[in-house]
Amino acid sequence: MSVLNRMVSNPPRPGNRLSVARLGATESWDLTEVWDMSGRVARSLLDLGVRPGDRIGVLAANSLEWVLLDLAALRIKAVTAGFDPGKFDATGAELVTRYGLAALFTDQDETADRVRPIAAMRRLPPSDAVLPTVVWEPDEAPALKFTSGSSGPAKSLLASAGSIDSSLAAVQEMFAHGPGDDIFVFLPLSLLQQRYWVYSALVFGHDVTISTYEAAFATLRTARPTVVMGVPGFFEAARAHLEARAARTGSSPADVAVEFFGDRIRYLWTGSAPADPGTLRYLTDAGLPIFEGYGLNETCIVTKNHPGAHRPGSVGRVLPGKKVLIDTDGVINVRSGHPVATRYEHARPGDSEAMFRPGGIVRTGDLGHLDADGYLFVHGRADDVIVLENGKKIVVWPIEERLKACPLIEDCVVTNASQHQLVAIVTSAQHPVDTELIAAALRQANADLDHDEQIAKAVLADRFTVGNGLLSSQFKPRRQQIEARYRRLVTDPEEGIRA
């Protein structure tokens, strides 16, 4: 029986817990309690007229109620659409209409038709009503998920049950989550993969702790997880904190790692964007093994390093049920036994055709290669290749990573509005900004680059965030928006810091 069908068919065994850790307070429930509460919510949804295939939306911060609604939808074969409050600025009523929702549950202060307060989901009374028996077929879709990539408006796709099952089964084979484990989740539950770890807890019998990005640093030590799921930016910030703490106290990196992450870490998980190799080495050397993987919203998890097969610099070997194909342009294509989807539900004309190919193949747009042992190495985006006026093609991602290796540079995007020289749009990790040190960082980076790859100047930018539209929901720089915002500084010969 598939993982999803095991979950919706059988209550969990007692003894494992779901916790919600916020600043100043943590609540915790046995998974059997969570299961019972989700059953009440499922019956409430049925009473509202929600039926198999209907969509319910959740526009709220991470919470117990978020989990209950998602589990309830799975138990009645409804579709969960998760909306990140930091990403969607539409009203609840607009979301209901735009995405065809039977109901939207929110923690926002809004009253409208089919828009309901999420807080009520915890206070539902017990009921003896029996839920219908459900079975999820591999090609049926339990979730509507959204992807913006690094540019353009949010696109949506219906994620198949088969893709969820195959991913969870592969992860379980690699990492064997079970009794004694506590997986720490702080990215928005609107991201489907973050909800996987709740499903895993219910089926494989381990704890799961849900927090928020804002509270993660403050709650890690008291939560004492064994696994932390995070994006590279989070672990880079953690490394900076550990280094500063070690320098201030004279403690070893291993000691400050325990102070920060707690004393039970088994491993750290990262993906969704390229990880800094120096950060991966630092954390691993500090006793925090960190494993990088690769995947897109359109493919789910494709490759993953893990304790049994790990090659530094790579994003791991290909998972069962996936096949990586490198085309003649060096672009990574992925074929899945259970595709996540074969088209977008909501997108601009041509977007589906550009991403989804016949035969369950997704053209990722990432450049990469497989080594002789089957490890995948990612070199950047195909659309991050700059063509200079002399015809030379420059892959900018390695240059950006070289610049970000400087502690003074928090993030950067390399562009070439003039087509004859490269310009780095950088955010500073130090304030006030020392322009001389930024110039020195440019010179140091240029020393190891070919002539055409060298940076002519840097322009200073405000910090890239989701809130100002310069980071995607996966915390990746939105290149087109960044280039558009700073085009005047990039093209003005009087502006910028010269190398």
Side-chain angles (χ1 to χ4, degrees), residues 351-430:
D351 281 350
S352 285
E353 292 78 6
M355 176 65 70
F356 299 100
R357 305 300 171 88
I361 292 176
V362 170
R363 186 181 190 274
T364 69
D366 291 320
L367 299 170
H369 79 274
L370 289 163
D371 72 8
D373 297 317
Y375 288 90
L376 179 64
F377 291 76
V378 180
H379 307 308
R381 295 284 299 169
D383 54 10
D384 292 348
V385 175
I386 287 174
V387 182
L388 300 179
E389 60 183 2
N390 62 7
K392 182 162 183 180
K393 296 180 179 179
I394 307 294
V395 180
V396 298
W397 175 74
I399 302 173
E400 292 166 349
E401 290 302 301
R402 186 181 296 273
L403 288 170
K404 288 193 292 183
C406 172
L408 294 172
I409 297 177
E410 181 180 58
D411 212 339
C412 75
V413 163
V414 171
T415 184
N416 75 325
S418 65
Q419 284 195 297
H420 70 270
Q421 65 178 12
L422 301 184
V423 176
I425 303 169
V426 305
T427 63
S428 176
Q430 183 184 78

Side-chain angles (χ1 to χ4, degrees), residues 166-167 169-171 173-175 269 292-295 299-306 308-311 314-326 332-338 360 362 364 368-378:
S166 59
S167 294
V171 169
E173 183 177 345
M174 289 185 288
F175 292 101
W269 171 299
E292 188 177 9
Y294 173 77
T299 62
C300 203
I301 308 166
V302 176
T303 66
K304 188 68 185 176
N305 282 300
H306 58 93
H310 179 217
R311 180 154 296 174
S314 81
V315 290
R317 281 179 168 161
V318 181
L319 269 59
K322 304 287 187 183
K323 186 175 180 61
V324 167
L325 309 166
I326 309 296
I332 299 167
N333 290 255
V334 178
R335 177 186 289 134
S336 302
H338 293 291
V362 170
T364 69
H369 79 274
L370 289 163
D371 72 8
D373 297 317
Y375 288 90
L376 179 64
F377 291 76
V378 180

Side-chain angles (χ1 to χ4, degrees), residues 186-266:
F186 61 86
L187 294 175
L189 291 173
S190 55
L191 302 172
L192 174 60
Q193 188 174 317
Q194 304 310 305
R195 308 202 297 271
Y196 282 8
W197 316 122
V198 176
Y199 310 160
S200 174
L202 288 163
V203 175
F204 301 118
H206 58 79
D207 296 347
V208 59
T209 296
I210 294 170
S211 188
T212 63
Y213 206 108
E214 296 74 20
F217 280 179
T219 55
L220 265 171
R221 183 180 181 184
T222 53
R224 299 180 64 234
T226 60
V227 180
V228 178
M229 304 286 178
V231 291
F234 172 82
F235 291 118
E236 288 165 14
R239 174 194 176 183
H241 176 89
L242 297 183
E243 288 178 326
R245 174 72 173 166
R248 187 169 61 249
T249 64
S251 301
S252 70
D255 287 339
V256 294
V258 169
E259 290 179 17
F260 188 82
F261 283 93
D263 59 354
R264 297 203 311 139
I265 291 294
R266 185 155 73 89

